[in-house]
Amino acid sequence: MTNPEQQPVMPVEDDVADDDPGWDDDPDWGSLLGATWDGAEVDDGEQDLADRLSLTRVPGLSTDLDDITEVEYRQLRLERVVLVSVWHEGTQDDSYNAVRELAALAQTAGSQVLDALIQRRDHVDPATYIGRGKVDEVRDVVMATKADTVICDGELSPAQLRNLEDRVGVKVVDRTALILDIFAQHAKSVEGKTQVELAQLQYLRQRLRGWGDSLSRQVGGRAASGVGIGGRGPGETKIETDRRRINARVALLRAKLRTLDETRALQRADRRRSLVPSVAIVGYTNAGKSSLLNRLTGAGVMVEDALFATLDPTTRRSRTADGRVYTLTDTVGFVRHLPHDLVEAFKSTLEETALADLLVHVVDGSDADPMAQIRAVRGVLGQIGAGEVPEQIVVNKIDAADPAVLDDLRAGLPGAVFVSARTGAGLDHLRHVVETRLPVPGISVRVLVPYDRGDLVDRIHRRGELSSTEHTPEGTLIVARVNADLAGELAPFEVV
C-alpha cells in the first residue's frame, strides 16, 4: 500500500502560467507550510487569479497505515476520507490550522485521512461549496485515493450536500455532522445521549431527501397500486412522514430533558443555598481540562488524548487553604464554529458555566495557535451568556510547548497562570490564584462560640473566611468574614 506522504506534494493543476507570482519562487512544494502567499495581505480585489482558482494540498495530514498487512487493514475498518476546505478569510496559517483541526476531528471519529485540499475563494460557492470547476478535481483525488467520504470544513446546505454527492460519487459530510458523530460516540450518561440525539435530529430535519419511490404518496390497505377505496387523494410523502416522526421524537426528547433539567436545577439550587462558591473549568477541546480537575481534586475523571472526550460535566468539592469549601466543574470542550443545534441541546449543561463564580479558562500551550483557541472559547461563552463571568486564564501543557510561544503568551496574557497537568508544575500557584479570586463573604464578625456549638465553628470554617482562632476558657474566639445568614446565627455570640 502506498503512502500519499511519500508522493511529491504538488498543487492541483490549473490553467495558470508557470511564472505567476502568486507563490514565492520555491521549487520545494514539500515545504508548502513554509511558503508565503503574497495575496494574503492585500485586498480581495487584488487577489491573484491563481490563488483563487487553485486547490492546494495540505502536506503532513495523511494517516495512511503502511506498516500493516492487508488482513490487519481490513480488520481496522477505518473510513477513508478526503478533507476539503475553503479559505475565504484569515491568513494562510489560519487555513492550515483549520484543516489540521478538521483532520483531528476526522481521526477522533474513526477515519483515516488520505488527503486534504484547500481552495482560496472570496466566499464559499452557494451550489457546490468549492465551485463547480473544482468539484471534478476533488472527484479525481477521491478516485485516486479510493476514499469513501469527503469531509468539508463548513456547514453545508442540503443543496450543497446533494450537488457534491452527485458530482463526487461518494458520501459527503460537513463539519457539523462530523462533530455530532463524535458527540454520539462519546456520550455516556442518559442526559448526554439525549442531548446528542436531539441535536442530531434537529440537524437531520432540515436535510431530509429521497429519490423515486421515497417521494411517492403513501397509501394503505388494498390501494397499494393507487386504486380502490381509501387510495385516492394526495396522501403523504415519505419525507413528510419522516419529518413528522422526527418532530414527534424531538418533542419527546425535549420533555425528557426538561425532567433531567429539573434534577440538575435542584442540585444547583442546593449549592447556592449553601453559598458554596463554584468554579467552572472551560476551554478548547483537548486542552487538558479533565487532567487539571484530576490534579486539583483527585476526581478520577477519564482522561483521553482525543477531541470531546468529556461530554458529561463532573463536579467535585475542594477546599481552600483556610478550609473554605468550593466546587470545581469540568465542562464539555469548545471548538471553533460549534454547531448551533449542539449549543442549544446542551444548554442545560452549559448553564453550569454561566452560573459559576469564576471560570478557569484552560488553554493548550502546545497548540499551533493558542490565541485562536482563546477567541473561539470566548465566542461560545458569549453565546451561552457567560461572557461576563470572571475569568482566569490557565496555560496548560507547558512541558510540551515551544518556549518562544510561551514567552509570547506571557507577554500577551498578563495574569495568566502557566501549568502542566501532566507533571504538576505550577499547580500550587494555580490553587492560590483560584482561592484569592473566589467571592469573599461580606460581613466581618468577632464571636465567642461556646464549646457545645461546634456546629457553628464548622460552618464558619466551611463557608466563611477565617482570620484568627483563639481557645479561651469560655469558648472559641473567632475573627472571620461570613455571609449574612450565618452572621445572623452568630449574632448572640458576638463580642466587642
Side-chain angles (χ1 to χ4, degrees):
M1 187 174 357
T2 60
N3 188 334
E5 288 186 333
Q6 297 173 354
Q7 304 296 328
V9 181
M10 295 290 291
V12 178
E13 294 183 359
D14 209 341
D15 298 330
V16 181
D18 293 336
D19 58 349
D20 187 89
W23 286 92
D24 289 345
D25 294 330
D26 184 357
D28 182 11
W29 288 92
S31 60
L32 184 58
L33 289 177
T36 59
W37 202 315
D38 295 339
E41 304 300 332
V42 298
D43 295 336
D44 290 342
E46 299 176 2
Q47 289 178 3
D48 188 85
L49 180 62
D51 297 350
R52 295 199 303 270
L53 297 181
S54 65
L55 279 174
T56 305
R57 277 200 174 87
V58 182
L61 284 181
S62 172
T63 57
D64 196 15
L65 306 177
D66 54 0
D67 294 330
I68 60 176
T69 66
E70 283 294 321
V71 174
E72 290 171 331
Y73 177 74
R74 292 191 187 98
Q75 290 175 346
L76 287 175
R77 300 175 64 86
L78 295 176
E79 191 168 0
R80 299 162 61 86
V81 303
V82 171
L83 310 180
V84 177
S85 177
V86 172
W87 171 22
H88 57 88
E89 61 182 5
T91 65
Q92 182 185 351
D93 287 341
D94 293 337
S95 68
Y96 280 119
N97 290 337
V99 176
R100 289 191 184 95
E101 180 179 281
L102 186 66
L105 288 168
Q107 293 176 47
T108 301
S111 301
Q112 176 190 358
V113 178
L114 302 177
D115 210 342
L117 304 170
I118 294 179
Q119 184 188 19
R120 175 97 187 247
R121 294 177 59 91
D122 295 335
H123 51 79
V124 299
D125 185 83
T128 57
Y129 181 68
I130 56 172
R132 298 177 183 274
K134 297 306 165 187
V135 176
D136 294 335
E137 298 180 24
V138 173
R139 183 183 60 205
D140 293 339
V141 173
V142 169
M143 295 177 62
T145 58
K146 296 181 174 60
D148 308 312
T149 305
V150 171
I151 301 179
C152 297
D153 189 24
E155 183 168 342
L156 304 187
S157 67
Q160 289 173 326
L161 283 170
R162 181 174 61 251
N163 293 336
L164 276 176
E165 286 190 351
D166 290 345
R167 297 281 296 275
V168 176
V170 297
K171 180 175 65 176
V172 177
V173 176
D174 62 11
R175 180 188 178 88
T176 300
L178 177 62
I179 294 176
L180 289 174
D181 184 80
I182 295 173
F183 271 59
Q185 293 182 44
H186 290 177
K188 296 296 186 292
S189 69
V190 173
E191 184 178 23
K193 292 178 180 179
T194 304
Q195 289 168 325
V196 171
E197 184 181 357
L198 176 60
Q200 287 178 315
L201 290 177
Q202 290 174 328
Y203 172 81
L204 178 63
R205 181 167 51 187
Q206 306 302 323
R207 290 165 175 80
L208 289 177
R209 56 178 176 167
W211 306 104
D213 291 340
S214 64
L215 292 174
S216 63
R217 299 291 180 177
Q218 306 300 299
V219 296
R222 298 175 59 186
S225 299
V227 295
I229 299 174
R232 301 176 182 87
E236 185 179 41
T237 65
K238 184 176 184 303
I239 287 182
E240 291 170 341
T241 303
D242 291 341
R243 185 171 289 117
R244 176 168 51 80
R245 290 174 176 172
I246 287 177
N247 289 336
R249 181 63 178 168
V250 165
L252 182 64
L253 291 174
R254 283 178 172 162
K256 186 176 181 180
L257 279 178
R258 281 195 295 270
T259 302
L260 295 172
D261 291 348
E262 291 173 2
T263 302
R264 186 178 294 279
L266 288 174
Q267 294 172 344
R268 280 197 299 263
D270 183 62
R271 290 198 299 267
R272 298 188 77 82
R273 277 197 304 271
S274 301
L275 301 175
V276 177
S278 61
V279 178
I281 304 177
V282 302
Y284 215 74
T285 180
N286 206 30
K289 299 182 294 299
S290 297
S291 299
L292 199 61
L293 179 70
N294 288 343
R295 276 285 191 171
L296 293 175
T297 66
V301 175
M302 184 200 72
V303 174
E304 183 180 356
D305 185 16
L307 306 184
F308 299 115
T310 300
L311 293 187
D312 302 313
T314 301
T315 300
R316 292 292 183 268
R317 181 167 295 201
S318 187
R319 288 182 179 271
T320 63
D322 60 1
R324 291 178 61 202
V325 174
Y326 66 97
T327 61
L328 276 166
T329 301
D330 182 21
T331 62
V332 60
F334 301 145
V335 70
R336 69 181 185 91
H337 305 318
L338 195 64
H340 175 76
D341 289 338
L342 206 55
V343 175
E344 183 66 24
F346 277 74
K347 186 175 181 180
S348 62
T349 300
L350 296 174
E351 283 181 357
E352 296 283 353
T353 301
L355 298 176
D357 296 301
L358 176 67
L359 300 181
V360 173
H361 182 168
V362 183
V363 182
D364 183 357
S366 65
D367 186 76
D369 192 355
M371 296 304 297
Q373 285 193 359
I374 294 175
R375 290 191 295 270
V377 171
R378 286 175 173 171
V380 178
L381 291 175
Q383 190 177 351
I384 63 177
E388 301 301 321
V389 180
E391 174 192 60
Q392 175 60 53
I393 295 288
V394 177
V395 179
N396 191 23
K397 303 184 183 180
I398 60 174
D399 56 307
D402 184 347
V405 173
L406 294 180
D407 290 339
D408 292 339
L409 291 175
R410 287 188 176 93
L413 299 171
V417 179
F418 291 75
V419 304
S420 170
R422 188 178 70 85
T423 65
L427 292 182
D428 289 338
H429 179 51
L430 173 60
R431 289 189 184 94
H432 174 71
V433 171
V434 169
E435 291 174 10
T436 57
R437 298 200 60 179
L438 291 176
V440 177
I443 301 177
S444 297
V445 295
R446 186 172 185 270
V447 292
L448 184 63
V449 182
Y451 288 117
D452 60 353
R453 294 302 308 271
D455 59 314
L456 289 178
V457 177
D458 176 65
R459 290 172 61 187
I460 293 173
H461 279 276
R462 287 188 293 108
R463 301 184 187 178
E465 188 178 78
L466 197 64
S467 298
S468 65
T469 301
E470 180 182 350
H471 296 289
T472 68
E474 295 80 15
T476 306
L477 181 63
I478 296 177
V479 177
R481 297 184 67 87
V482 297
N483 292 297
D485 60 338
L486 184 55
E489 293 187 53
L490 294 171
F493 309 106
E494 192 166 358
V495 295
V496 180

